[in-house]
Amino acid sequence: MRSWSAQNVPSLPGSSVPLRLYDTAARQVRLTDPGPTARMYVCGITPYDATHLGHANTYLAFDLVSRVWLDGGHQVHYTQNATDVDDPLLERAEQTGQGWRALAEREIELFRTDMEALRILPPRDYVGVTEVVDQVAALVSRLAAKGVTYTVEDDVYFSVADAPKFGEVSGFSREEMLPLFGERGGDPERPGKRDPLDWLLWRAERPGEPSWPSPLGPGRPGWHVECTAIALDHLGGGFDVAGGGTDLIFPHHECGASEGHAATGEWPFAKFYTHAGMVALDGEKMSKSKGNLVFVSKLRAGHDPMAIRLILLAHHYRTDWAYTADQLQAAEARLETWRSAVALGAGPDAEGLLAEVRERMADDLDAPGALAAVDAWAARALRDGGSDPAAPALVRDLADALLGVAL
Ligand code: ZN
């Protein structure tokens, strides 16, 4: 389906710095080593509600990954899905008396608008699951042919006993996995399963639910396997980064990794599993069930989207943090200061600043460190002036290219 519009990313003078990134599976920061085209898959939204700050925080993190790679001269092949048919979407549609397709389309369109306003670079492939049901069914058939699946009443499950690498992405023990599996869409207690952690690949048709014909019988895709199928179709196995929020580490990325391994025989399925922290409000993680969401579209009404972007950049992507309204005021003040500084006819030399921002961003996306460096340059420019007529334009370009902030 349609992605959203890309802004032009200015190219910067001098030498780039290769990206070092935290890999959840390795439990450490490692050097990324993409080919001429870096390949990244980031799990998309389930479009039953508007984009909130937690979503924006996740997509911003991977936008920064793209920007560091682009600065390094790589092309970026970025793929994202939208889970446009799944239980939460169907439940919301049922509660509100609207069609699930109309609900999904409306929320996906709002998501595109929010992402574009925040200057998040768009995926090359933005794929709705309902567009690729055949491909997902084909992957499930491929897994069945490998002997790693079984059925419970016509529903197809992946057998965790046939997943030798299961646990390597999250590093979780079985005791840690079990409660999370139940909380995050799994069905550990279903009778007839061989292991509580076996996960659903194909959900057979139920009365009143959408379904598609397939060689597996009529039904619809399970959650984890949709991303595996889309990643394999667009990026192939062994791609550079699989991304999402920390709530996707288990079971979503763990299960997807084992699916990819079983289908291709290759390990790892993704070279990096990278996760953004959770955003809280009033001390609790933002979530639909708690009703404590701060919607991007509401913040955008009356506030510059670049200030919203600066709120997110002020927190390291891997930290969990809590949103408070004073952060918006601080971001607006910072934006105004930066804009005043680059509006001067000349400024202090900015080549050192460029090197520092590159180094900070390449160091596991240290955006707060990069902001501090720009703050220092802007304070000097406004206090002392400067004699370099090229400096303001260079700062404008580096803020745009590496931080995505339009000044
Ligand atoms: Zn996913």
Side-chain angles (χ1 to χ4, degrees), residues 49-344:
D49 214 338
T51 323
H52 58 72
L53 270 187
H55 295 130
N57 189 57
T58 293
Y59 299 113
L60 177 89
F62 297 97
D63 176 74
L64 298 178
V65 170
S66 288
R67 288 173 186 277
V68 177
W69 278 338
L70 289 169
D71 185 44
H74 301 278
Q75 304 280 321
V76 179
H77 187 166
Y78 173 23
T79 301
Q80 186 181 137
N81 68 309
T83 304
D84 60 357
V85 60
D86 200 10
D87 295 345
L89 173 72
L90 299 174
E91 282 160 21
R92 178 62 64 93
E94 176 83 26
Q95 284 161 14
T96 56
Q98 58 197 319
W100 62 272
R101 277 189 188 276
L103 173 62
E105 270 171 35
R106 193 184 69 213
E107 298 303 346
I108 287 170
E109 185 52 29
L110 181 58
F111 176 72
R112 288 188 188 104
T113 313
D114 286 337
M115 291 295 102
E116 209 168 298
L118 293 175
R119 302 182 93 243
I120 305 283
L121 296 169
R124 187 188 296 183
D125 321 298
Y126 189 36
V127 183
V129 174
T130 56
E131 298 176 300
V132 294
V133 173
D134 289 351
Q135 288 94 315
V136 182
L139 176 59
V140 176
S141 297
R142 194 168 152 195
L143 292 170
K146 303 266 183 192
V148 298
T149 71
Y150 64 94
T151 58
V152 177
E153 295 164 291
D154 296 335
D155 295 335
V156 183
Y157 280 87
F158 195 109
S159 166
V160 73
D162 295 309
K165 303 287 191 185
F166 195 77
E168 291 205 6
V169 172
S170 65
F172 293 165
S173 67
R174 193 174 164 89
E175 290 64 41
E176 289 169 301
M177 288 174 178
L178 276 165
L180 289 172
F181 187 75
E183 283 160 29
R184 296 173 178 170
D187 54 358
E189 288 167 6
R190 180 166 184 190
K193 284 173 58 174
R194 295 177 188 167
D195 186 303
L197 293 174
D198 292 343
W199 66 93
L200 185 72
L201 296 171
W202 185 259
R203 179 175 164 89
E205 182 175 39
R206 305 284 200 279
E209 288 187 10
S211 72
W212 288 259
S214 88
L216 308 154
R220 60 182 164 95
W223 174 32
H224 315 308
V225 74
E226 74 184 49
C227 287
T228 309
I230 295 168
L232 277 175
D233 283 350
H234 290 274
L235 302 175
F239 56 94
D240 292 289
V241 169
T246 50
D247 54 348
L248 297 188
I249 295 172
F250 188 87
H252 188 57
H253 284 168
E254 190 76 69
C255 294
S258 282
E259 291 163 352
H261 183 216
T264 65
E266 276 180 70
W267 185 265
F269 181 53
K271 292 180 191 163
F272 282 71
Y273 285 89
T274 298
H275 298 98
M278 296 287 114
V279 182
L281 182 72
D282 304 328
E284 293 207 74
K285 179 194 147 185
M286 258 180 222
S287 73
K288 269 139 209 169
S289 52
K290 299 203 180 89
N292 62 343
L293 303 177
V294 177
F295 293 115
V296 171
S297 45
K298 292 215 172 120
L299 277 185
R300 283 205 284 122
H303 300 282
D304 191 316
M306 291 302 94
I308 302 169
R309 192 167 168 113
L310 282 170
I311 297 172
L312 304 170
L313 288 166
H315 303 272
H316 188 264
Y317 80 97
R318 280 203 281 130
T319 57
D320 294 332
W321 54 279
Y323 173 71
T324 51
D326 60 331
Q327 293 170 16
L328 177 57
Q329 288 156 18
E332 286 179 319
R334 173 176 262 148
L335 184 62
E336 201 181 309
T337 302
W338 288 14
R339 283 183 173 155
S340 303
V342 299
L344 299 171

Side-chain angles (χ1 to χ4, degrees), residues 28-59:
Q28 62 178 322
V29 174
R30 300 196 291 120
L31 184 65
T32 64
D33 186 22
T37 299
R39 295 174 293 154
M40 177 163 70
Y41 186 94
V42 180
C43 293
I45 58 167
T46 300
Y48 63 109
D49 214 338
T51 323
H52 58 72
L53 270 187
H55 295 130
N57 189 57
T58 293
Y59 299 113

